[in-house]
Amino acid sequence: LMSAVPRQKDGANHLTRLASDYVALYIANVRLVEALASEYGFTAYYVWQPNPHISEKPATVFEQEIAATLSTASFQQDLTTLHRIIAANIPGAMDSVTPGRFQDLTGIFDTIEGPIWVDVIGHTTEAGAQMVGEEIAKLLSQSDSGGA
């Protein structure tokens, strides 16, 4: 696997390189899963989860407090930038490896006005978990009917 040696920060480029490395490592893991699927006769499906770092959903009062935490801490600011870069690059990278078997749920909550996020990590309320589960079920049912 790729080296996990910390890199020196050199302006905004370090986050771009880190995001690129992350996407490359993710795709390498997907290729491993695809090889296992081929060998053992199963089909893998992939879902990119939503997260509060890049969510565009209208925030509740509590979620505004989460957003304030994300915008004031230096580490969280870097993490938000990293999530944005990765989220912009993962779908295209996955299309070339797993056409029709990747679901990007980054924006699933963008129109939800009620509470969804319960922490800065990305855990959700039961309603949020149900929405994600329903999207995964759709992906799997489309594949069973040949629609994916």
Side-chain angles (χ1 to χ4, degrees), residues 30-82:
V30 167
R31 290 185 193 284
L32 175 63
V33 171
E34 291 297 302
L36 291 169
S38 177
E39 178 68 22
Y40 293 103
F42 65 90
T43 303
Y45 295 87
Y46 305 87
V47 178
W48 194 255
Q49 297 288 327
N51 73 73
H53 286 89
I54 58 173
S55 179
E56 299 291 331
K57 89 172 269 317
T60 64
V61 172
F62 177 71
E63 291 168 337
Q64 288 172 9
E65 292 174 15
I66 291 173
T69 300
L70 297 177
S71 66
T72 57
S74 176
F75 171 75
Q76 294 294 344
Q77 291 171 351
D78 283 353
L79 199 53
T80 297
T81 300
L82 193 60

Side-chain angles (χ1 to χ4, degrees), residues 13-37:
N13 288 335
H14 79 283
L15 292 175
T16 301
R17 279 196 313 276
L18 184 58
S20 177
D21 288 350
Y22 183 93
V23 171
L25 183 58
Y26 187 84
I27 295 301
N29 285 323
V30 167
R31 290 185 193 284
L32 175 63
V33 171
E34 291 297 302
L36 291 169

Side-chain angles (χ1 to χ4, degrees), residues 54-121:
I54 58 173
S55 179
E56 299 291 331
K57 89 172 269 317
T60 64
V61 172
F62 177 71
E63 291 168 337
Q64 288 172 9
E65 292 174 15
I66 291 173
T69 300
L70 297 177
S71 66
T72 57
S74 176
F75 171 75
Q76 294 294 344
Q77 291 171 351
D78 283 353
L79 199 53
T80 297
T81 300
L82 193 60
H83 276 289
R84 288 191 191 287
I85 297 168
I86 292 169
N89 288 287
I90 282 285
M94 289 297 288
D95 281 346
S96 66
V97 180
T98 61
R101 293 183 289 119
F102 174 74
Q103 181 75 28
D104 181 1
L105 297 183
T106 301
I108 190 173
F109 303 136
D110 287 358
T111 61
I112 305 302
E113 295 190 16
I116 293 292
W117 305 114
V118 297
D119 59 28
V120 298
I121 297 170

Side-chain angles (χ1 to χ4, degrees), residues 45-47 100-103 105 108 130-148:
Y45 295 87
Y46 305 87
V47 178
R101 293 183 289 119
F102 174 74
Q103 181 75 28
L105 297 183
I108 190 173
Q130 181 174 348
M131 289 177 68
V132 169
E134 288 170 356
E135 289 302 313
I136 293 171
K138 279 187 217 174
L139 175 66
L140 296 175
S141 67
Q142 289 172 351
S143 69
D144 287 342
S145 66

